[in-house]
């Protein structure tokens, strides 16, 4: 049984730790043979120190250097895609095709390449020049970024390859990747490619590092360490809040993606027009990837009536008929069970499913629950428990007032969707709901399920707490997501030759957009100033 | 003795509170006759509810509406400037001329007018459109903002008129102003003008509200209330951290400006060239406004040698010769004394001053302390205690290594200044220092004292913790400071007629800059999409 190495300060080397762990194949529930180390604090400290040195080395490098690394890395991932798909399928039980090979892996390399483009064109930098006051400002790297990846996207959110990684690097920051324990092999393969790309493109030792696991107390120490610039975390709420408390205490930016139940409203007119289509869209969205998406539709809000009953009936049928997918692991299965139990304990009725089993390995029946709006409003916190996986709760309101009351109770979410009639008959209600819902979600959708997350500049994969830790930022989309890992730096009367290239009079690329004396322009700063 | 009213939900009315307080004239140490209420929690809750209603009312208003209010308000402040200067002078002992009348009041109305311009031109909104994915995003108001103003700028940072107020309003948010207890009369006059402007420009009740004081526990409840969108706080670190903890716990953005000692390096060559000039600049900057600026130079870092001794000698002479100014209040005097004592307890030698007295009212002698770099590095936390007021600590390093060690110990600050020789002889040392210092300060200055804060877009009045709570934001400058009070909102397949005007195909003003399919442009979105 091979004991794997950690990547520290430019070297793959044996961990100083004594403990090792193994991933589990979710399909067979058997431990995979390879062993991965748990790093002790002394090792984490070495990682931080190496990252800090790397940060100083690359501080003044042009964005093109980071772009070259990101592009080389994306190319290497493409080259190793067969190996990566095989490993991720083994560790996560996600379908090789289309999910891993044709969707998530291309998304991941696309993200790295988009980040490279932003690093090169400086579109995230917000360079600003005020000539009369002789003050200039820009966004600049915040310092080493520790990225904690989640279980559900072995590539696209991986600490060593995902969106946080790409954003942090695009801003010029070294990354300390913390792999998720459910897919260490996939993370290792990615980090190998990253290390190879880093070497090939001349990045310093310590620019990309990987540790697989550490004690919880050491995670807290990492998140609050003075040499760490920021933290990106995607995962369970409980662990995320522990890191958040530690980082907050020392005023360190931490960007979290914690949980979201993604309310979907199906207004009466829309249901009247096409309840069968909506039931099909809903079931497809909720059960894809065994429901293990951050944007999974976990809460459906309906107005009582025959069309609602028809929708529910059809949704139940589809949930029953659909094959039961495998979950990412035992923990996910346990949490899903606990979540369903919590909902049921607070008055929700199980319409279908609700029990462990029904498929291969770790799994749980496709589950639909139902609750009255009155009950929801009476126990809003419990009834917004995230049952992460192939499960959803339907809330049925008796009237408009109840539907609005439900909306007022909603916590912050990544997304909120409203289906309304094509003929405009739902518009008055839509307007009332959206006035409340808009402030509670990062992304508002019309007539569409929330599970697709396009990697475009206007995407907001973010939202108010507890979906994330700050509603002003997105984890997906370039150049926007880069801003999280930047600090604002102003230069006041700094001598011209000492200014960063992007703030000097001459536009360094000829195409960089800058705000000069209040006007966005690609021109040079007038020479007289 | 007149009992003053609170401004709640569009009405000046008697507080429900039983307790009242009076401001104190710092020059005479006598209580001023007018009484101001301490609001009980029930009243604070009413304020929050009214602000939440106002937020819903104005949600979809165009920026021009907020601009009209801000401009009307600035005009009314100008009209009442005589009264405002008289009151602020009484309450703060800051000089009427030039400080209050010719500097701070014009800065305040300038800020309001710049905020109005940004509200009107939408330069803070970051409108983004991706036509192929049909996703559009923008920054949008975050919700009611509670602004806690500090003691040292009765206008420019006032909860009811200052930079946070202007930024929050420009983003379209109602403001709950919490006045500082040291200048309630000034705050009242400002809020009267704000209310008059709000009425004249058709803002809803609850858009601008004022409470003067509340219990500490109620401040915590306010900062974590679900209907409050964000908090702006400028003031003492201890109280700020209590609010931060409360807000962080519920993931609510809180923007703090806590404390800063603003290190100033005078490199050997610069001292050799002009130590007398530098001593004069330093004394002028440190003693202006009795040193009560967030950007006061509280830490001077020198290399040992005859030029450093000459600089110190001249600085001491100037500190001795300069008149002793009055401090803002008894609390400031106490804290200054305690700060000086803390520095002395940890090995700093008092070169001049150090005792209470020497001027009129609450005051303390102009104070200079000195400590060796070795000692500083041995007790960096204690020796970075902010002695807010007319006091500064000089750190003398024996060599370059010591100077860099001091730099490595520095906490986050708003500013960092480096004076270096005109002939380039300091450049090698400059480069080593700046590599470390740059990441620790929001604004880097060359050959200049940090006390001037120009209100321009490139200003960064911010910096890493503990100077502020997040290094990515500035409290001064437009449109940049507005971003703090905004959330990111994405629209995914939302029907065209339901989109906010700034995201519709037609550019609503013809001049709004938007990022359409990756390109910054003022054009309409192509009609085909």
């Amino acid at each position: 049984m091979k004991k794997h190495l950690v990547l520290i300060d430019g070297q793959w080397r044996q961990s100083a730790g004594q403990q090792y762990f193994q991933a589990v194949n979710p399909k067979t529930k058997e431990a995979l043979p390879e062993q991965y180390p748990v790093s002790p604090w002394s090792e984490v400290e070495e990682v931080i120190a190496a990252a800090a040195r790397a940060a100083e080395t690359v501080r003044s490098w042009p964005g093109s250097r980071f772009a070259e690394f990101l592009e080389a890395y994306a190319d290497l991932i493409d080259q190793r895609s067969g190996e990566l798909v095989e490993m991720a399928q083994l560790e996560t039980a996600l379908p090789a095709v289309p999910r891993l090979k044709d969707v998530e892996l291309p998304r991941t390399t696309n993200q790295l390449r988009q980040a490279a483009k932003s690093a090169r064109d400086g579109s995230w930098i917000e360079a600003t020049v005020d000539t009369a006051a002789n003050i200039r400002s820009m966004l600049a790297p915040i310092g080493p970024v520790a990225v904690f990846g989640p279980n559900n996207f072995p590539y696209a959110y991986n600490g060593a390859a995902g969106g946080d990684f790409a954003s942090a690097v695009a801003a010029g920051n070294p990354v300390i990747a913390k792999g998720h324990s459910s897919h260490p092999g996939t993370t290792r393969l990615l980090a190998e490619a990253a290390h190879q790309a880093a070497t090939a493109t001349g990045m310093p030792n310590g620019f990309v590092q990987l540790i697989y696991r550490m004690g919880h107390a050491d995670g807290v120490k990492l998140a609050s360490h003075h040499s760490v610039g920021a933290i990106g975390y995607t995962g369970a709420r409980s662990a995320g809040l522990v890191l958040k408390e530690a980082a907050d205490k020392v005023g360190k930016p931490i960007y979290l993606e914690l949980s979201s139940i993604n309310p979907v409203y199906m207004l009466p007119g829309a249901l009247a027009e096409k309840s069968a289509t909506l039931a099909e869209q809903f079931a497809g969205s909720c059960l894809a990837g065994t429901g293990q998406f951050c944007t999974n539709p976990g809460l459906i809000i309906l107005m009582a009536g025959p069309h609602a009953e028809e929708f529910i009936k059809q949704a139940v049928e589809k949930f029953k008929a659909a094959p039961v997918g495998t979950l990412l692991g035992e923990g996910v299965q346990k949490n899903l069970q606990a979540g369903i139990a919590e909902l049921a304990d607070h008055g929700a009725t199980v319409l279908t499913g609700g029990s462990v089993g029904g498929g291969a390995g770790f799994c749980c029946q496709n589950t639909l629950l139902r609750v009255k709006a009155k009950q929801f409003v009476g126990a809003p916190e419990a009834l917004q428990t995230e049952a992460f996986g192939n499960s959803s709760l339907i809330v049925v309101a008796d009237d408009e007032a109840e539907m609005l009351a439900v909306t007022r109770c909603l916590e912050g979410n990544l997304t909120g969707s409203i289906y309304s009639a094509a003929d405009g008959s739902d518009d008055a209600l839509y307007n009332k709901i959206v006035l409340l819902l808009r402030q509670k979600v990062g992304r508002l959708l019309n007539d569409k399920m929330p599970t697709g997350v396009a990697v475009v500049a206007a995407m907001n994969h973010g939202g108010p707490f507890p979906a994330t830790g700050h509603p002003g930022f997105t984890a997906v989309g370039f150049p926007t997501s880069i801003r999280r890992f930047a600090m604002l730096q102003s230069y006041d009367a700094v001598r011209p030759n000492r200014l960063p290239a992007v703030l000097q009079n001459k536009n360094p690329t000829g195409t960089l957009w800058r705000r000069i004396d209040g006007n966005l322009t690609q021109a040079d700063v007038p020479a007289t100033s």
Side-chain angles (χ1 to χ4, degrees), chain A:
Chain A
M1 293 200 290
K2 181 158 184 186
K3 290 194 171 180
H4 280 288
L5 309 176
V6 284
L7 175 58
I8 300 186
D9 200 13
Q11 301 292 329
W12 285 101
R13 67 176 210 208
Q14 194 167 348
S15 172
Q18 301 303 308
Q19 278 186 282
Y20 279 75
F21 72 95
Q22 293 161 265
V24 173
N25 180 331
K27 274 250 163 70
T28 64
K29 302 187 181 180
E30 281 168 10
L32 293 163
E34 307 191 68
Q35 304 221 5
Y36 293 90
V38 180
S39 292
W41 176 243
S42 61
E43 195 158 280
V44 181
E45 269 190 313
E46 278 186 78
V47 167
I48 296 170
R53 287 193 297 274
E56 287 187 11
T57 302
V58 305
R59 185 82 51 77
S60 59
W61 286 11
S64 57
R65 291 295 302 270
F66 307 106
E68 285 160 19
F69 160 69
L70 290 164
E71 287 164 346
Y73 184 19
D75 291 346
L76 285 169
I77 290 176
D78 281 341
Q79 287 170 28
R80 298 182 72 168
S81 66
E83 207 182 344
L84 278 162
V85 169
E86 198 179 336
M87 180 70 86
Q89 193 189 11
L90 206 63
E91 292 186 325
T92 67
L94 292 168
V97 179
R99 164 65 188 264
L100 291 171
K101 179 167 180 294
D102 300 329
V103 181
E104 191 180 338
L105 206 59
R107 172 180 166 180
T108 306
T109 50
N110 176 29
Q111 287 177 166
L112 292 166
R113 292 186 177 109
Q114 283 198 41
K117 182 173 180 299
S118 295
R120 194 171 265 124
D121 68 23
S123 49
W124 62 279
I125 284 178
E126 300 180 16
T128 305
V129 177
D130 288 295
T131 58
N134 192 18
I135 299 183
R136 301 172 188 228
S137 72
M138 62 184 288
L139 294 173
I142 201 168
V145 176
V147 181
F148 293 74
N151 59 0
N152 63 334
F153 278 88
Y155 315 133
Y157 288 78
N158 195 293
D164 285 0
F165 175 92
S167 304
V169 169
N173 300 297
V175 169
I176 298 167
K178 153 70 177 71
H180 194 279
S181 298
S182 68
H183 49 255
T186 308
T187 304
R188 173 174 60 78
L189 293 177
L190 288 167
E192 282 174 11
H195 179 54
Q196 194 181 335
T199 306
T201 55
M203 307 309 286
N205 290 343
F207 191 74
V208 179
Q209 300 179 93
L210 169 66
I211 47 183
Y212 293 98
R213 195 189 264 190
M214 65 192 119
H216 288 176
D218 292 341
V220 163
K221 280 157 86 177
L222 169 60
S224 55
H225 195 280
H226 62 87
S227 290
V228 171
I231 299 100
Y233 171 93
T234 308
R237 195 193 289 196
S238 52
L241 291 184
V242 171
L243 295 180
K244 174 168 161 52
E245 188 181 355
D248 285 343
K249 201 155 189 166
V250 294
K252 193 174 302 297
I254 180 165
Y255 301 96
L256 307 155
E257 198 194 313
L258 295 179
S259 57
S260 183
I261 57 172
N262 305 298
V264 176
Y265 292 76
M266 308 247 181
L267 301 192
L271 285 177
E273 284 175 2
K274 46 176 182 180
S275 62
T277 312
L278 299 189
E280 188 169 339
Q281 283 186 23
F282 163 54
S285 171
C286 184
L287 301 180
T290 321
Q292 300 164 114
F293 290 105
C294 334
T295 52
N296 189 54
L299 192 74
I300 306 295
I301 300 161
L302 308 174
M303 194 79 83
H307 296 299
E309 295 307 325
E310 181 58 28
F311 169 86
I312 293 170
K313 184 170 150 269
Q314 300 212 26
V316 168
E317 278 168 18
K318 288 181 197 310
F319 269 58
K320 280 185 174 154
V324 169
T326 302
L327 295 166
L328 291 158
E330 189 172 13
V332 174
Q333 182 188 286
K334 270 192 189 159
N335 284 337
L336 175 53
Q337 274 302 105
I340 291 169
E342 176 81 0
L343 298 174
D345 283 353
H346 288 83
T349 311
V350 175
L351 297 176
T352 183
S355 300
V356 162
F362 298 115
C363 61
C364 181
Q365 296 168 321
N366 298 326
T367 301
L368 268 181
L369 300 101
R370 173 181 182 149
V371 74
K372 282 178 179 293
K374 270 190 211 51
Q375 292 171 285
F376 185 88
V377 170
E381 203 174 326
L383 287 166
Q384 288 179 78
T385 300
E386 188 184 35
F388 188 76
N390 47 335
S391 168
S392 191
L393 172 66
I394 299 173
V395 180
V396 182
D398 280 342
D399 55 28
E400 189 176 299
E402 281 192 9
M403 193 171 268
L404 296 174
V406 167
T407 311
R408 287 199 184 271
C409 287
L410 290 178
E411 296 181 340
N413 277 281
L414 295 173
T415 70
S417 306
I418 310 179
Y419 284 80
S420 59
D423 67 5
S425 60
D426 290 323
D427 284 7
L429 179 54
Y430 176 95
N431 289 337
K432 289 177 192 168
I433 293 169
V434 89
L435 185 67
L436 306 174
L437 184 66
R438 178 64 278 191
Q439 297 306 102
K440 292 170 180 264
V441 301
R443 178 164 54 116
L444 176 75
L445 301 97
N446 273 189
D447 315 310
K448 196 179 166 187
M449 283 290 157
T451 30
V453 178
V455 183
V456 295
M459 172 53 64
N460 181 11
H461 196 64
F465 188 83
T468 81
H470 192 303
F473 298 97
T474 176
V476 173
F478 298 94
T480 32
S481 63
I482 300 174
R483 203 192 183 293
R484 298 174 296 159
F485 302 114
M487 69 177 282
L488 182 59
Q489 296 188 343
S490 195
Y491 292 81
D492 187 340
V494 168
R495 298 185 192 175
N497 62 319
R498 293 172 174 170
L499 288 168
V502 296
L503 295 181
Q504 294 191 5
N505 282 0
K506 184 158 179 49
N507 189 314
T509 61
T511 55
L512 179 71
W513 283 95
R514 305 189 289 183
R515 191 181 295 276
I516 300 177
D517 294 333
N519 300 310
L520 283 171
T521 174
Q522 293 175 300
D524 293 340
V525 177
T528 50
S529 55

